[in-house]
Amino acid sequence: ATSDWTELHTFQTDGFVRFPSWKSDGTALVWGHTLRRFAVWPLGDEDIELFDYPTPAPSEFTASHSSSVTAMVPAPASDLMAIGNMFPQCLFLWDAKVANVSQSHELGGGGFNSIDWREGAQQLVASGFEGRLFIFDVAESKLKLKISGHHGHATDCRWSPDGIQIASGGEDH
């Protein structure tokens, strides 16, 4: 037996890995990376599932900018995964059961830094490059609220455990 964890649990990839997260039930590790892909690695499985990142229809803007995964988090007790990108700012809900997009929200702008699910997985909050927070209602498949307040990137956001408040951090000076 080896004591080197990296020998047992290493996945080589081009680009770099961002924001690894465990599914809430602990059955898989998920992550995004810079090559317009994200990965799902089921616990105990040697095979990693790689998916191309869903992108909106090509436009003049997307042709001149590289779109990459900038935020990703699995939903609690669900097969959904919220995935955000940059250029243009889009939020996708990926349904792992059918390996396809179940919702798509293009907002324009620069991108998302962080996404967090509200308890019950019916709402999520995302922090944006332009200093705003966005609250999405998953059940209704729509953007419910944009909150301005940070001057610079809104770098992170989290729901409180009771789902009533949102904490956010930013590059404010």
Side-chain angles (χ1 to χ4, degrees), residues 55-63:
T55 56
S59 66
E60 185 177 315
F61 186 79
T62 57

Side-chain angles (χ1 to χ4, degrees), residues 8 10-11 40-49:
L8 298 172
T10 300
F11 170 69
V40 177
W41 192 359
L43 189 63
D45 197 338
E46 291 185 28
D47 295 324
I48 296 169
E49 299 174 68

Side-chain angles (χ1 to χ4, degrees), residues 81-156:
M81 190 169 1
I83 305 170
N85 80 320
M86 62 180 171
F87 305 124
Q89 187 173 36
C90 295
L91 180 92
F92 295 95
L93 292 184
W94 179 265
D95 187 334
K97 274 190 177 175
V98 295
N100 207 349
V101 173
S102 66
Q103 288 184 34
S104 174
H105 305 277
E106 184 172 348
L107 302 173
F112 293 111
N113 286 312
S114 178
I115 303 171
D116 192 36
W117 288 92
R118 186 175 187 181
E119 187 63 35
Q122 293 303 306
Q123 287 187 328
L124 50 87
V125 61
S127 61
F129 285 9
E130 292 84 17
R132 292 181 290 180
L133 300 178
F134 301 86
I135 298 176
F136 295 90
D137 187 302
V138 175
E140 295 181 20
S141 185
K142 68 180 187 178
L143 174 66
K144 295 291 270 189
L145 185 63
K146 291 181 189 178
I147 304 169
S148 297
H150 289 284
H151 304 283
H153 293 306
T155 56
D156 211 342

